[in-house]
Amino acid sequence: MSDGEALVRAGVQNPGARSLARHTTLRLGGAATELVVAETAEELVERVRAADGAGRRLLVLGGGSNLVVADEGFDGLVVRVATSGLCYETGPDGTVWLTAEAGEDWDAVVADTVRRGLGGLECLSGIPGSTGATPVQNVGAYGTEVSERLVSVDLLDRVRGEVRTVPAEELGLRYRGSVLKHTDTAVVLRVRLRLSADGLSDPVRYGELARVLGVEVGRRVPLARVREAVLGLRRGKGMVLDPDDHDTWSAGSFFTNPIVEAERWPAVRSRIEQRAGERVPGYEVPGGGTKLSAAWLIERAGFTKGYPGPGGRVGLSTKHTLALTNRGTASTADLLALASEVRAGVARAFGVSLEPEPVLLDCLLR
């Protein structure tokens, strides 16, 4: 336990210990009125129930990898989830079921499954944040989403005050979202995942990953090779946390890849290709519509890698245009100004609206 966390747990609420910048990957944001750490699920439930009963404003904080906090901080109680524990059990049809506590570091969980020869999560290597946040965001990368392996979650229903198990199919899992996102009605306590046990990856679906692995799309590969390749790709894009690399001081991909409705797609495609002077890459999605690459649109709208924001204190990553980064002395206002400039530029050039992926806490994107 760090000195700051010791002070928090002891009830000493100095501004340094309450700083939310210390608990987000962007390293931005002001202080909370109060910050406590919950190390067990029981303590987490107790803290949340007490706050709800007292009518206190509450933020349940995981790894802080998908969060933008206002410079003014948070006027309320922050409960940081630090629960831990992994349990592996034999599941049906030769699968293995993993139950992971919400506070477990996600990449550490993925690494443990790969070490044990259990497949299904390997393409999600290197994603920062806590395990409890993965179903909320339905995290995904390199052709895989956590929804494909999620069995259920245990959560605290804050409306009923009850702890219950909710099957994955009731969570409304979708591209980068679920019914749990942008709501404070429930707190995830643990997740349950179904894994394969033959030591091989899921079929490789992503072309870039297949090229790095030297295999055709659809092939299955030893797990360790896939994890190593994914980590290498993410490092090359500044998407693996490194305290010495400002390109990783980000919330990951700041904008989601936009989905254009089928009836709008021909007109949108024509406009983009006329302005960009090249064919726009698009991918059909289930249910209709075409998904576009937000990074591609940002680059063709004139925002290059390393594009600076106010005073150079923020900027697009020098490795990947989809990451907005804190160059070391930024404020949240600086970050939002750059995000607004990029979004307005893409809308002006192509008529496509980009939506932020991280949660914006007490701050707005114009």
Side-chain angles (χ1 to χ4, degrees), residues 129-277:
S130 63
T131 297
T134 58
V136 177
Q137 181 73 5
N138 188 21
V139 300
Y142 296 102
T144 298
E145 292 182 340
V146 78
S147 58
E148 299 170 45
R149 292 292 176 169
L150 188 68
V151 176
S152 64
V153 300
D154 293 345
L155 55 76
L156 170 62
D157 183 329
R158 293 176 62 185
V159 176
R160 302 178 183 177
E162 301 174 351
V163 174
R164 57 194 184 95
T165 299
V166 180
E169 54 267 25
E170 296 181 15
L171 295 175
L173 296 160
R174 59 186 184 276
Y175 172 65
R176 299 298 180 271
S178 70
V179 297
L180 301 174
K181 190 174 182 179
H182 299 307
T183 179
D184 57 3
T185 58
V187 177
V188 175
L189 304 176
R190 60 187 61 87
V191 304
R192 201 161 289 105
L193 300 154
R194 182 182 62 254
L195 308 172
S196 57
D198 62 2
L200 295 176
S201 71
D202 282 343
V204 176
R205 304 170 186 164
Y206 204 79
E208 182 183 27
L209 178 59
R211 287 192 295 273
V212 170
L213 290 167
V215 300
E216 294 181 356
V217 170
R219 288 284 302 276
R220 301 183 71 201
V221 181
L223 297 171
R225 281 189 61 199
V226 175
R227 175 170 168 80
E228 181 181 357
V230 169
L231 289 174
L233 285 168
R234 290 184 65 86
R235 289 191 186 98
K237 298 173 183 178
M239 295 293 189
V240 176
L241 295 179
D242 181 347
D244 297 322
D245 182 0
H246 286 147
D247 275 339
T248 74
W249 291 28
S250 76
S253 298
F254 194 88
F255 296 106
T256 58
N257 291 323
I259 297 175
V260 180
E261 300 88 344
E263 58 271 20
R264 293 184 60 231
W265 174 233
V268 170
R269 179 177 58 190
S270 176
R271 176 173 176 175
I272 293 174
E273 292 181 352
Q274 286 179 5
R275 292 294 300 269

Side-chain angles (χ1 to χ4, degrees), residues 27-361:
R27 293 169 169 82
L28 295 177
T33 305
E34 183 181 2
L35 190 152
V36 297
V37 180
E39 294 185 337
T40 67
E42 293 74 20
E43 183 180 5
L44 176 57
V45 169
E46 180 183 348
R47 292 282 192 184
V48 174
R49 281 177 173 164
D52 288 346
R56 295 196 66 184
R57 191 166 183 236
L58 174 68
L59 170 68
V60 178
L61 178 64
S65 62
N66 198 47
L67 182 66
V68 180
V69 181
D71 292 317
E72 294 76 17
F74 178 74
D75 184 15
L77 170 65
V78 173
V79 178
R80 194 174 75 79
V81 182
T83 57
S84 61
L86 302 177
C87 178
Y88 293 90
E89 302 175 285
T90 301
D93 303 323
T95 61
V96 173
W97 286 21
L98 165 61
T99 302
E101 296 297 310
E104 285 281 351
D105 176 81
W106 174 251
D107 188 54
V109 171
V110 176
D112 194 61
T113 63
V114 169
R115 181 180 62 81
R116 293 171 180 264
L118 303 175
L121 307 181
E122 57 282 346
C123 286
L124 304 179
S125 294
I127 296 176
S130 63
T131 297
T134 58
V136 177
Q137 181 73 5
N138 188 21
V139 300
Y142 296 102
T144 298
E145 292 182 340
V146 78
S147 58
E148 299 170 45
R149 292 292 176 169
L150 188 68
V151 176
S152 64
V153 300
D154 293 345
L155 55 76
L156 170 62
D157 183 329
R158 293 176 62 185
V159 176
R160 302 178 183 177
E162 301 174 351
V163 174
R164 57 194 184 95
T165 299
V166 180
E169 54 267 25
E170 296 181 15
L171 295 175
L173 296 160
R174 59 186 184 276
Y175 172 65
R176 299 298 180 271
S178 70
V179 297
L180 301 174
K181 190 174 182 179
H182 299 307
T183 179
D184 57 3
T185 58
V187 177
V188 175
L189 304 176
R190 60 187 61 87
V191 304
R192 201 161 289 105
L193 300 154
R194 182 182 62 254
L195 308 172
S196 57
D198 62 2
L200 295 176
S201 71
D202 282 343
V204 176
R205 304 170 186 164
Y206 204 79
E208 182 183 27
L209 178 59
R211 287 192 295 273
V212 170
L213 290 167
V215 300
E216 294 181 356
V217 170
R219 288 284 302 276
R220 301 183 71 201
V221 181
L223 297 171
R225 281 189 61 199
V226 175
R227 175 170 168 80
E228 181 181 357
V230 169
L231 289 174
L233 285 168
R234 290 184 65 86
R235 289 191 186 98
K237 298 173 183 178
M239 295 293 189
V240 176
L241 295 179
D242 181 347
D244 297 322
D245 182 0
H246 286 147
D247 275 339
T248 74
W249 291 28
S250 76
S253 298
F254 194 88
F255 296 106
T256 58
N257 291 323
I259 297 175
V260 180
E261 300 88 344
E263 58 271 20
R264 293 184 60 231
W265 174 233
V268 170
R269 179 177 58 190
S270 176
R271 176 173 176 175
I272 293 174
E273 292 181 352
Q274 286 179 5
R275 292 294 300 269
E278 60 183 297
R279 183 178 179 182
V280 56
Y283 310 91
E284 292 186 5
V285 296
T290 300
K291 183 191 295 184
L292 306 180
S293 165
W296 190 95
L297 293 171
I298 289 169
E299 292 170 8
R300 271 62 179 185
F303 300 97
T304 57
K305 295 174 183 177
Y307 182 89
R313 296 180 296 273
V314 293
L316 299 187
S317 166
T318 66
K319 303 179 179 73
H320 197 278
T321 52
L322 202 48
L324 277 63
T325 65
N326 172 6
R327 308 315 294 181
T329 59
S331 66
T332 299
D334 293 332
L335 183 86
L336 295 176
L338 175 59
S340 296
E341 181 184 1
V342 171
R343 184 161 76 163
V346 170
R348 185 168 53 248
F350 304 125
V352 176
S353 179
L354 297 181
E355 297 301 325
E357 185 167 326
V359 174
L360 306 182
L361 182 64

